[in-house]
Amino acid sequence: MSGYADLHTHTTASDGTQPPAENVRLAKEAGLAAIGITDHDTVAGIQEAVEEGEKLGIKVVPGVEISTVAGGQDIHVLGYGIDERDPVFLDRLRQLRDVRETRNEMMIARLNELGLAVTMEEVLAGVSKTRPDETIGRPHIAQALIAKGYVSSMEEAFERYLGKTGVAYVNPPRIHPSEAIRWIHEAGGTAVLAHPGLYHDDPLVDELIGEGLDGIEAYHSDHTPEDEAKYASLANRHGLLVTAGSDYHGERHGQVFHGPIGNRRIAEDVVEKLLERRREDRANHS
Ligand code: AMP
Ligand code: ZN
Ligand code: FE
Ligand code: FE
């Protein structure tokens, strides 16, 4: 009997609200066989999740969601099975976190110009970080805006200020998704394009397939049934892996953004394929 995997979840290592072990417990409750831990630009949550997975008999797929830019918008590339101790890869993630930190400072400066008195200290006050490489993101800034009474919901924070078309949105230069694919491959991982339905840029998807993309997250909490059918068939046509992810971030102000763990799931056979390159890599080194 084959079980199911939810391959895209966030923890307190980035902008999720639950610690890594809790995601694994929720995966068990949801009846899943496997769960991916894919925090933004960090692998800091993986070890805790792997340990909990061993206790509960849930397979934990080590992952990361890399922030890149193409065509002026954020594009997320998921990396699975990367060697999370590879020093070159870790240094590359550090560079991404530096850009992210600068971006956060720029957005706060922009909010201040707009008359919203919010500081980085206030953002950090609402966040519990336990490991050095954990990341801060826009949801944390949104939380501070709510706490200070400038907006009354996450939606309002993103719509008015922090989202793509918000007045405080800043997007400094970042790596191109093709670069993320290369980094993931060099770290023994498998590269999957996250939520392509959100980009409205199918020429980019084709371009990335040409750049060695290994899979497409056809099933995602924010995809329409049409998106899901389209990207699953595109992946199949090119012989790419098809993945599914809830993009779980926990609950903020009573709302689950994206979806609960298990909201999107795929037969767990894909997990082995996502980890194949890592195995080959290890075999080559021994
Ligand atoms: P960042 O990586 O700091 O740019 O933040 C990106 C995260 O913000 C995404 O992973 C989403 O979880 C969250 N996000 C993006 N748009 C919205 C929105 N409209 N409402 C709530 N959260 C959002
Ligand atoms: Zn996020
Ligand atoms: Fe994403
Ligand atoms: Fe995500």
Side-chain angles (χ1 to χ4, degrees):
M1 200 188 73
S2 163
Y4 290 90
D6 175 348
L7 292 164
H8 187 162
T9 74
H10 294 266
T11 77
T12 45
S14 64
D15 55 2
T17 63
Q18 305 303 318
E22 180 62 14
N23 281 26
V24 179
R25 286 193 283 274
L26 291 169
K28 184 162 177 97
E29 259 171 48
L32 296 172
I35 180 173
I37 300 293
T38 53
D39 280 303
H40 298 286
D41 305 324
T42 183
V43 293
I46 291 174
Q47 199 191 328
E48 177 185 318
V50 167
E51 284 166 13
E52 188 68 16
E54 282 164 3
K55 274 190 229 154
L56 300 181
I58 300 286
K59 212 181 288 174
V60 170
V61 186
V64 64
E65 184 173 25
I66 296 187
S67 309
T68 77
V69 168
Q73 68 171 332
D74 289 331
I75 305 292
H76 289 169
V77 181
L78 295 161
Y80 294 104
I82 20 109
D83 175 358
E84 65 273 12
R85 282 165 299 259
D86 180 324
V88 173
F89 188 69
L90 288 178
D91 187 60
R92 288 169 164 172
L93 288 184
R94 167 153 316 285
Q95 292 167 35
L96 298 178
R97 288 195 295 271
D98 288 346
V99 176
R100 170 177 283 278
E101 230 167 85
T102 307
R103 193 273 321 249
N104 291 344
E105 298 284 2
M106 286 163 82
M107 296 222 306
I108 286 168
R110 187 83 196 98
L111 287 165
N112 295 161
E113 279 166 28
L114 292 164
L116 286 76
V118 62
T119 64
M120 188 48 107
E121 289 65 42
E122 287 165 336
V123 171
L124 294 173
V127 181
S128 82
K129 292 291 174 196
T130 53
R131 300 179 187 87
D133 296 343
E134 297 177 328
T135 59
I136 297 290
R138 282 182 284 166
H140 298 121
I141 301 175
Q143 240 172 250
L145 294 181
I146 295 173
K148 297 213 69 179
Y150 289 120
V151 294
S152 54
S153 67
M154 295 294 289
E155 288 104 297
E156 190 187 350
F158 275 87
E159 227 159 81
R160 290 178 66 183
Y161 299 109
L162 307 175
K164 252 202 264 206
T165 56
V167 286
Y169 181 60
V170 182
N171 206 350
R174 299 195 203 231
I175 59 165
H176 189 268
S178 56
E179 183 81 346
I181 294 172
R182 193 167 65 79
W183 290 4
I184 290 165
H185 286 171
E186 287 179 7
T190 301
V192 173
L193 184 61
H195 44 64
L198 306 190
Y199 310 141
H200 306 286
D201 187 356
D202 287 347
L204 174 72
V205 181
D206 288 330
E207 179 190 336
L208 297 178
I209 292 172
E211 296 284 341
L213 189 69
D214 304 295
I216 298 181
E217 185 181 53
Y219 303 99
H220 181 271
S221 293
D222 300 334
H223 277 182
T224 64
E226 292 75 28
D227 289 330
E228 299 190 335
K230 177 172 86 172
Y231 291 110
S233 96
L234 179 70
N236 286 327
R237 223 165 33 247
H238 290 275
L240 303 183
L241 302 173
V242 174
T243 72
S246 62
D247 211 351
Y248 178 73
H249 277 73
E251 208 177 283
R252 280 192 168 90
H253 302 273
Q255 273 208 307
V256 179
F257 185 63
H258 303 302
I261 285 180
N263 196 41
R264 291 294 184 281
R265 51 180 76 191
I266 190 112
E268 67 169 319
D269 324 355
V270 73
V271 169
E272 214 164 294
K273 294 180 189 137
L274 290 170
L275 301 179
E276 224 155 62
R277 196 168 278 142
R278 176 190 179 95
R279 269 197 210 104
E280 281 166 17
D281 215 49
R282 282 193 177 157
N284 292 343
H285 290 298
S286 59

